[in-house]
Amino acid sequence: QVQLVESGGGSVQSGGSLRLSCAASGYTYGMCLAWFRQAPGKEREVIAVIGRGGSTNYADSVKGRFTISRDNPKKTLYLQMNSLKPEDTVMYYCAARFGTCPVFPAFEYTYWGQGTQVTVSS
């Protein structure tokens, strides 16, 4: 059983930076990993995906500002968020799946973290 635990959320001013972490436990070798975010009343949207070899994909809304990375020996996924904007204020979730990567719909992911809140003030 794979478990994911996010950390690193918090409050920051517009233009600031945060780094989210997602620690995994269990068998995680070769998994496709992703970060999603969800605003109240809206669907969960993918913002970044990373394959087992390190290939990455980003949503247009975060491209050039956010960087996804993984440390396989540490079983940890990261999201470096720079140039944060007030519209980045939402809950962030890490997700994982075995099999084809990248995939973008939330329903394709089997394992989810509990979420971490990011708040960006103007």
Side-chain angles (χ1 to χ4, degrees):
Q1 183 73 7
V2 175
Q3 292 186 322
L4 304 175
V5 179
E6 298 105 335
S7 61
S11 298
V12 66
Q13 290 192 326
S14 182
S17 298
L18 283 174
R19 189 175 81 155
L20 305 183
S21 298
C22 174
S25 61
Y27 183 77
T28 60
Y29 179 77
M31 294 190 88
C32 181
L33 304 174
W35 287 99
F36 285 75
R37 64 186 184 184
Q38 186 172 23
K42 294 191 175 182
E43 291 189 358
R44 196 166 292 188
E45 63 169 352
V46 64
I47 56 172
V49 181
I50 187 167
R52 62 177 176 265
S55 59
T56 58
N57 290 269
Y58 295 93
D60 288 343
S61 58
V62 305
K63 199 173 294 182
R65 300 189 299 125
F66 292 8
T67 302
I68 188 172
S69 61
R70 64 193 292 169
D71 185 328
N72 290 329
K74 292 184 177 179
K75 296 185 179 180
T76 303
L77 174 70
Y78 301 101
L79 185 69
Q80 177 66 43
M81 305 186 294
N82 298 328
S83 302
L84 282 161
K85 305 174 182 179
E87 51 263 44
D88 295 319
T89 296
V90 287
M91 283 289 287
Y92 287 75
Y93 298 87
C94 61
R97 71 185 302 272
F98 291 105
T100 303
C101 193
V103 294
F104 304 112
F107 71 83
E108 295 280 3
Y109 287 82
T110 308
Y111 306 101
W112 291 88
Q114 80 287 356
T116 187
Q117 176 69 38
V118 170
T119 302
V120 184
S121 57
S122 56

